[in-house]
Short mmCIF file of all heavy atoms in Angstrom, two decimals:
data_model
loop_
_atom_site.label_atom_id
_atom_site.label_comp_id
_atom_site.label_asym_id
_atom_site.label_seq_id
_atom_site.Cartn_x
_atom_site.Cartn_y
_atom_site.Cartn_z
N TYR U 1 -3.32 9.39 9.04
CA TYR U 1 -2.93 10.52 8.23
C TYR U 1 -1.44 10.38 7.91
O TYR U 1 -0.65 10.00 8.76
CB TYR U 1 -3.19 11.83 8.96
CG TYR U 1 -2.86 13.03 8.11
CD1 TYR U 1 -3.70 13.41 7.08
CD2 TYR U 1 -1.71 13.80 8.36
CE1 TYR U 1 -3.38 14.50 6.28
CE2 TYR U 1 -1.40 14.89 7.57
CZ TYR U 1 -2.23 15.24 6.53
OH TYR U 1 -1.94 16.32 5.75
N TYR U 2 -1.08 10.76 6.67
CA TYR U 2 0.28 10.63 6.21
C TYR U 2 0.77 11.90 5.54
O TYR U 2 -0.01 12.62 4.91
CB TYR U 2 0.40 9.50 5.17
CG TYR U 2 -0.07 8.15 5.65
CD1 TYR U 2 -1.40 7.78 5.52
CD2 TYR U 2 0.82 7.26 6.22
CE1 TYR U 2 -1.84 6.55 5.95
CE2 TYR U 2 0.40 6.02 6.66
CZ TYR U 2 -0.93 5.66 6.53
OH TYR U 2 -1.37 4.44 6.95
N VAL U 3 2.04 12.14 5.68
CA VAL U 3 2.64 13.22 4.92
C VAL U 3 2.59 12.84 3.44
O VAL U 3 2.66 11.65 3.10
CB VAL U 3 4.10 13.47 5.39
CG1 VAL U 3 5.01 12.31 5.05
CG2 VAL U 3 4.63 14.78 4.82
N ASP U 4 2.45 13.83 2.58
CA ASP U 4 2.25 13.55 1.16
C ASP U 4 3.34 12.66 0.56
O ASP U 4 3.07 11.82 -0.30
CB ASP U 4 2.19 14.86 0.39
CG ASP U 4 0.89 15.61 0.60
OD1 ASP U 4 -0.08 15.00 1.11
OD2 ASP U 4 0.83 16.80 0.24
N SER U 5 4.55 12.84 1.00
CA SER U 5 5.67 12.13 0.40
C SER U 5 5.64 10.62 0.63
O SER U 5 6.34 9.88 -0.07
CB SER U 5 6.99 12.69 0.91
OG SER U 5 7.10 12.55 2.32
N VAL U 6 4.84 10.13 1.56
CA VAL U 6 4.80 8.69 1.83
C VAL U 6 3.44 8.08 1.54
O VAL U 6 3.27 6.87 1.67
CB VAL U 6 5.21 8.36 3.28
CG1 VAL U 6 6.55 9.00 3.61
CG2 VAL U 6 4.14 8.79 4.28
N LYS U 7 2.48 8.88 1.16
CA LYS U 7 1.14 8.35 0.88
C LYS U 7 1.21 7.31 -0.24
O LYS U 7 1.85 7.51 -1.26
CB LYS U 7 0.21 9.49 0.46
CG LYS U 7 -0.22 10.39 1.61
CD LYS U 7 -1.17 11.47 1.14
CE LYS U 7 -1.61 12.35 2.30
NZ LYS U 7 -2.49 13.46 1.85
N GLY U 8 0.52 6.21 -0.01
CA GLY U 8 0.51 5.12 -0.97
C GLY U 8 1.68 4.17 -0.82
O GLY U 8 1.67 3.10 -1.45
N ARG U 9 2.65 4.53 -0.01
CA ARG U 9 3.82 3.67 0.19
C ARG U 9 3.93 3.17 1.63
O ARG U 9 4.32 2.03 1.87
CB ARG U 9 5.10 4.41 -0.17
CG ARG U 9 5.15 4.89 -1.62
CD ARG U 9 6.53 5.43 -1.98
NE ARG U 9 6.89 6.60 -1.19
CZ ARG U 9 7.92 6.64 -0.35
NH1 ARG U 9 8.69 5.57 -0.20
NH2 ARG U 9 8.19 7.74 0.31
N PHE U 10 3.60 4.01 2.59
CA PHE U 10 3.69 3.65 4.00
C PHE U 10 2.32 3.39 4.59
O PHE U 10 1.33 4.02 4.16
CB PHE U 10 4.35 4.77 4.81
CG PHE U 10 5.81 4.98 4.54
CD1 PHE U 10 6.46 4.35 3.50
CD2 PHE U 10 6.54 5.84 5.35
CE1 PHE U 10 7.82 4.57 3.24
CE2 PHE U 10 7.88 6.07 5.12
CZ PHE U 10 8.52 5.43 4.07
N THR U 11 2.26 2.51 5.55
CA THR U 11 1.02 2.23 6.27
C THR U 11 1.28 2.16 7.76
O THR U 11 2.12 1.40 8.20
CB THR U 11 0.39 0.89 5.81
OG1 THR U 11 0.15 0.93 4.40
CG2 THR U 11 -0.94 0.67 6.53
N ILE U 12 0.56 2.96 8.50
CA ILE U 12 0.67 2.92 9.96
C ILE U 12 -0.50 2.09 10.49
O ILE U 12 -1.61 2.15 9.99
CB ILE U 12 0.66 4.35 10.58
CG1 ILE U 12 0.94 4.29 12.07
CG2 ILE U 12 -0.64 5.07 10.28
CD1 ILE U 12 1.16 5.66 12.72
N SER U 13 -0.22 1.31 11.52
CA SER U 13 -1.26 0.48 12.13
C SER U 13 -0.95 0.35 13.62
O SER U 13 0.16 0.63 14.06
CB SER U 13 -1.35 -0.89 11.47
OG SER U 13 -0.12 -1.61 11.59
N ARG U 14 -1.92 -0.11 14.37
CA ARG U 14 -1.69 -0.32 15.79
C ARG U 14 -2.48 -1.52 16.28
O ARG U 14 -3.50 -1.89 15.70
CB ARG U 14 -2.06 0.93 16.61
CG ARG U 14 -3.54 1.26 16.67
CD ARG U 14 -3.79 2.62 17.31
NE ARG U 14 -3.36 2.67 18.70
CZ ARG U 14 -3.15 3.78 19.40
NH1 ARG U 14 -3.33 4.96 18.82
NH2 ARG U 14 -2.76 3.71 20.68
N ASP U 15 -2.00 -2.09 17.35
CA ASP U 15 -2.68 -3.21 18.01
C ASP U 15 -2.70 -2.86 19.49
O ASP U 15 -1.72 -3.06 20.20
CB ASP U 15 -1.92 -4.51 17.75
CG ASP U 15 -2.67 -5.73 18.29
OD1 ASP U 15 -3.53 -5.58 19.16
OD2 ASP U 15 -2.37 -6.84 17.83
N ASN U 16 -3.82 -2.34 19.93
CA ASN U 16 -3.90 -1.88 21.31
C ASN U 16 -3.80 -3.03 22.32
O ASN U 16 -3.37 -2.82 23.45
CB ASN U 16 -5.20 -1.11 21.52
CG ASN U 16 -5.18 0.25 20.86
OD1 ASN U 16 -4.13 0.74 20.46
ND2 ASN U 16 -6.35 0.88 20.74
N ALA U 17 -4.21 -4.22 21.92
CA ALA U 17 -4.09 -5.38 22.80
C ALA U 17 -2.63 -5.71 23.07
O ALA U 17 -2.32 -6.29 24.11
CB ALA U 17 -4.82 -6.57 22.23
N LYS U 18 -1.75 -5.37 22.13
CA LYS U 18 -0.33 -5.64 22.27
C LYS U 18 0.48 -4.40 22.61
O LYS U 18 1.70 -4.45 22.69
CB LYS U 18 0.22 -6.25 21.00
CG LYS U 18 -0.37 -7.60 20.65
CD LYS U 18 0.23 -8.16 19.37
CE LYS U 18 -0.34 -9.53 19.05
NZ LYS U 18 0.24 -10.08 17.80
N ASN U 19 -0.20 -3.27 22.79
CA ASN U 19 0.48 -1.99 23.05
C ASN U 19 1.54 -1.70 22.00
O ASN U 19 2.67 -1.34 22.32
CB ASN U 19 1.11 -2.01 24.45
CG ASN U 19 0.14 -1.64 25.54
OD1 ASN U 19 -1.07 -1.73 25.37
ND2 ASN U 19 0.67 -1.25 26.70
N ALA U 20 1.16 -1.86 20.75
CA ALA U 20 2.14 -1.72 19.68
C ALA U 20 1.60 -0.88 18.52
O ALA U 20 0.40 -0.88 18.23
CB ALA U 20 2.54 -3.08 19.16
N VAL U 21 2.52 -0.21 17.88
CA VAL U 21 2.23 0.54 16.66
C VAL U 21 3.31 0.21 15.65
O VAL U 21 4.46 -0.02 16.02
CB VAL U 21 2.15 2.07 16.93
CG1 VAL U 21 3.49 2.61 17.42
CG2 VAL U 21 1.68 2.81 15.69
N TYR U 22 2.91 0.17 14.37
CA TYR U 22 3.82 -0.26 13.33
C TYR U 22 3.82 0.75 12.18
O TYR U 22 2.84 1.45 11.96
CB TYR U 22 3.40 -1.63 12.77
CG TYR U 22 3.16 -2.65 13.85
CD1 TYR U 22 1.88 -2.88 14.33
CD2 TYR U 22 4.20 -3.42 14.37
CE1 TYR U 22 1.64 -3.82 15.31
CE2 TYR U 22 3.97 -4.37 15.36
CZ TYR U 22 2.69 -4.57 15.81
OH TYR U 22 2.45 -5.51 16.79
N LEU U 23 4.92 0.74 11.46
CA LEU U 23 4.99 1.51 10.22
C LEU U 23 5.53 0.59 9.15
O LEU U 23 6.71 0.22 9.17
CB LEU U 23 5.88 2.74 10.36
CG LEU U 23 5.92 3.66 9.14
CD1 LEU U 23 4.56 4.34 8.94
CD2 LEU U 23 7.02 4.71 9.29
N GLN U 24 4.67 0.19 8.24
CA GLN U 24 5.06 -0.63 7.11
C GLN U 24 5.51 0.29 6.00
O GLN U 24 4.75 1.12 5.53
CB GLN U 24 3.90 -1.50 6.64
CG GLN U 24 4.21 -2.38 5.44
CD GLN U 24 5.23 -3.45 5.74
OE1 GLN U 24 5.15 -4.09 6.77
NE2 GLN U 24 6.19 -3.63 4.85
N MET U 25 6.74 0.12 5.58
CA MET U 25 7.34 0.99 4.56
C MET U 25 7.57 0.16 3.30
O MET U 25 8.41 -0.72 3.28
CB MET U 25 8.65 1.58 5.08
CG MET U 25 8.51 2.28 6.42
SD MET U 25 10.10 2.63 7.22
CE MET U 25 10.86 3.73 6.02
N ASN U 26 6.83 0.48 2.25
CA ASN U 26 6.98 -0.21 0.98
C ASN U 26 7.51 0.77 -0.07
O ASN U 26 7.38 1.98 0.05
CB ASN U 26 5.64 -0.76 0.51
CG ASN U 26 5.10 -1.83 1.43
OD1 ASN U 26 5.83 -2.55 2.09
ND2 ASN U 26 3.77 -1.95 1.46
N SER U 27 8.08 0.20 -1.10
CA SER U 27 8.65 1.01 -2.21
C SER U 27 9.51 2.13 -1.68
O SER U 27 9.38 3.30 -2.08
CB SER U 27 7.51 1.54 -3.07
OG SER U 27 6.72 0.52 -3.61
N VAL U 28 10.40 1.81 -0.79
CA VAL U 28 11.19 2.84 -0.13
C VAL U 28 12.14 3.50 -1.13
O VAL U 28 12.56 2.92 -2.12
CB VAL U 28 12.00 2.27 1.05
CG1 VAL U 28 11.04 1.83 2.14
CG2 VAL U 28 12.89 1.12 0.61
N LYS U 29 12.45 4.75 -0.83
CA LYS U 29 13.32 5.58 -1.66
C LYS U 29 14.50 6.05 -0.82
O LYS U 29 14.42 6.11 0.40
CB LYS U 29 12.55 6.79 -2.18
CG LYS U 29 11.29 6.46 -2.95
CD LYS U 29 10.53 7.73 -3.31
CE LYS U 29 9.25 7.43 -4.06
NZ LYS U 29 8.50 8.67 -4.40
N PRO U 30 15.59 6.42 -1.47
CA PRO U 30 16.73 6.96 -0.71
C PRO U 30 16.34 8.15 0.15
O PRO U 30 16.92 8.35 1.23
CB PRO U 30 17.71 7.37 -1.82
CG PRO U 30 17.42 6.43 -2.93
CD PRO U 30 15.94 6.24 -2.91
N GLU U 31 15.37 8.93 -0.29
CA GLU U 31 14.90 10.08 0.49
C GLU U 31 14.24 9.69 1.80
O GLU U 31 14.03 10.54 2.67
CB GLU U 31 13.91 10.92 -0.35
CG GLU U 31 14.45 11.36 -1.69
CD GLU U 31 14.08 10.40 -2.80
OE1 GLU U 31 14.82 9.42 -2.99
OE2 GLU U 31 13.07 10.65 -3.48
N ASP U 32 13.90 8.41 1.95
CA ASP U 32 13.31 7.94 3.20
C ASP U 32 14.35 7.67 4.27
O ASP U 32 14.00 7.41 5.42
CB ASP U 32 12.51 6.65 2.95
CG ASP U 32 11.32 6.87 2.04
OD1 ASP U 32 10.65 7.92 2.15
OD2 ASP U 32 11.05 5.97 1.21
N THR U 33 15.60 7.72 3.91
CA THR U 33 16.68 7.50 4.87
C THR U 33 16.61 8.53 5.99
O THR U 33 16.63 9.74 5.73
CB THR U 33 18.04 7.56 4.20
OG1 THR U 33 18.17 6.50 3.26
CG2 THR U 33 19.17 7.45 5.21
N ALA U 34 16.49 8.05 7.22
CA ALA U 34 16.37 8.96 8.36
C ALA U 34 16.35 8.13 9.63
O ALA U 34 16.26 6.90 9.61
CB ALA U 34 15.09 9.79 8.26
N PHE U 35 16.42 8.82 10.74
CA PHE U 35 16.20 8.22 12.04
C PHE U 35 14.71 8.34 12.33
O PHE U 35 14.17 9.45 12.35
CB PHE U 35 17.04 8.93 13.09
CG PHE U 35 17.45 8.07 14.25
CD1 PHE U 35 18.50 7.17 14.11
CD2 PHE U 35 16.80 8.16 15.47
CE1 PHE U 35 18.88 6.37 15.16
CE2 PHE U 35 17.20 7.36 16.52
CZ PHE U 35 18.23 6.46 16.37
N TYR U 36 14.06 7.21 12.53
CA TYR U 36 12.61 7.20 12.72
C TYR U 36 12.26 7.09 14.21
O TYR U 36 12.77 6.22 14.92
CB TYR U 36 11.99 6.02 11.94
CG TYR U 36 11.87 6.29 10.48
CD1 TYR U 36 13.00 6.33 9.66
CD2 TYR U 36 10.63 6.53 9.89
CE1 TYR U 36 12.90 6.60 8.31
CE2 TYR U 36 10.53 6.78 8.53
CZ TYR U 36 11.66 6.82 7.74
OH TYR U 36 11.56 7.09 6.40
N TYR U 37 11.35 7.95 14.63
CA TYR U 37 10.95 8.02 16.03
C TYR U 37 9.47 7.68 16.17
O TYR U 37 8.63 8.20 15.44
CB TYR U 37 11.17 9.42 16.60
CG TYR U 37 12.60 9.86 16.65
CD1 TYR U 37 13.17 10.54 15.58
CD2 TYR U 37 13.37 9.65 17.77
CE1 TYR U 37 14.49 10.97 15.62
CE2 TYR U 37 14.69 10.07 17.84
CZ TYR U 37 15.23 10.73 16.77
OH TYR U 37 16.54 11.16 16.82
N CYS U 38 9.17 6.87 17.14
CA CYS U 38 7.81 6.60 17.55
C CYS U 38 7.38 7.69 18.53
O CYS U 38 8.18 8.15 19.35
CB CYS U 38 7.73 5.23 18.20
SG CYS U 38 6.12 4.76 18.85
N ALA U 39 6.14 8.12 18.43
CA ALA U 39 5.65 9.21 19.26
C ALA U 39 4.25 8.92 19.77
O ALA U 39 3.45 8.29 19.08
CB ALA U 39 5.67 10.52 18.47
N ALA U 40 3.96 9.42 20.96
CA ALA U 40 2.65 9.29 21.57
C ALA U 40 2.13 10.66 21.97
O ALA U 40 2.87 11.50 22.50
CB ALA U 40 2.70 8.37 22.79
N LYS U 41 0.85 10.89 21.72
CA LYS U 41 0.25 12.16 22.05
C LYS U 41 -1.15 11.96 22.60
O LYS U 41 -2.00 11.37 21.92
CB LYS U 41 0.17 13.05 20.80
CG LYS U 41 -0.46 14.42 21.06
CD LYS U 41 0.48 15.32 21.84
CE LYS U 41 -0.11 16.71 22.05
NZ LYS U 41 -1.07 16.71 23.18
N LYS U 42 -1.37 12.42 23.79
CA LYS U 42 -2.69 12.35 24.40
C LYS U 42 -3.48 13.60 24.03
O LYS U 42 -2.91 14.68 23.86
CB LYS U 42 -2.58 12.23 25.91
CG LYS U 42 -3.82 11.67 26.58
CD LYS U 42 -3.53 11.30 28.03
CE LYS U 42 -4.70 10.56 28.66
NZ LYS U 42 -4.42 10.17 30.05
N ASP U 43 -4.76 13.43 23.89
CA ASP U 43 -5.67 14.55 23.60
C ASP U 43 -5.39 15.21 22.25
O ASP U 43 -5.57 16.41 22.09
CB ASP U 43 -5.61 15.60 24.70
CG ASP U 43 -6.03 15.06 26.04
OD1 ASP U 43 -6.96 14.23 26.09
OD2 ASP U 43 -5.41 15.46 27.05
N LEU U 44 -4.95 14.41 21.30
CA LEU U 44 -4.74 14.94 19.94
C LEU U 44 -6.07 14.90 19.21
O LEU U 44 -6.67 13.84 19.05
CB LEU U 44 -3.72 14.11 19.19
CG LEU U 44 -3.40 14.54 17.76
CD1 LEU U 44 -2.73 15.92 17.76
CD2 LEU U 44 -2.54 13.53 17.05
N LEU U 45 -6.50 16.05 18.73
CA LEU U 45 -7.77 16.15 18.06
C LEU U 45 -7.65 16.00 16.55
O LEU U 45 -8.50 15.39 15.91
CB LEU U 45 -8.44 17.49 18.38
CG LEU U 45 -8.76 17.74 19.85
CD1 LEU U 45 -9.39 19.12 20.02
CD2 LEU U 45 -9.70 16.65 20.40
N LEU U 46 -6.58 16.56 15.98
CA LEU U 46 -6.39 16.56 14.53
C LEU U 46 -5.06 15.94 14.19
O LEU U 46 -4.01 16.48 14.51
CB LEU U 46 -6.47 17.99 13.99
CG LEU U 46 -7.76 18.76 14.27
CD1 LEU U 46 -7.62 20.20 13.80
CD2 LEU U 46 -8.94 18.09 13.61
N LEU U 47 -5.10 14.79 13.54
CA LEU U 47 -3.88 14.08 13.23
C LEU U 47 -2.95 14.90 12.34
O LEU U 47 -1.72 14.80 12.46
CB LEU U 47 -4.19 12.74 12.55
CG LEU U 47 -5.01 11.72 13.35
CD1 LEU U 47 -5.21 10.46 12.53
CD2 LEU U 47 -4.33 11.40 14.67
#
């Protein structure tokens, strides 16, 4: 699930065998400038 402002531009993926999650950011805009945080949530039902 993505916030509307990044749909079609960003892709989130994960590799559980490597304990890794990624955010591929394409067609970036100045509005994307920010400090980006990785987050983990157990028992999340609705993304």
Side-chain angles (χ1 to χ4, degrees):
Y1 183 74
Y2 303 88
V3 67
D4 287 345
S5 60
V6 308
K7 287 181 179 177
R9 300 189 298 117
F10 290 9
T11 302
I12 187 171
S13 61
R14 69 189 296 163
D15 186 340
N16 288 346
K18 297 181 178 180
N19 276 19
V21 63
Y22 310 95
L23 185 67
Q24 178 67 44
M25 307 166 62
N26 296 331
S27 301
V28 294
K29 305 174 181 179
E31 305 93 274
D32 296 321
T33 295
F35 209 77
Y36 283 71
Y37 296 90
C38 178
K41 180 73 177 80
K42 201 169 187 178
D43 299 322
L44 180 66
L45 299 178
L46 302 174
L47 298 181

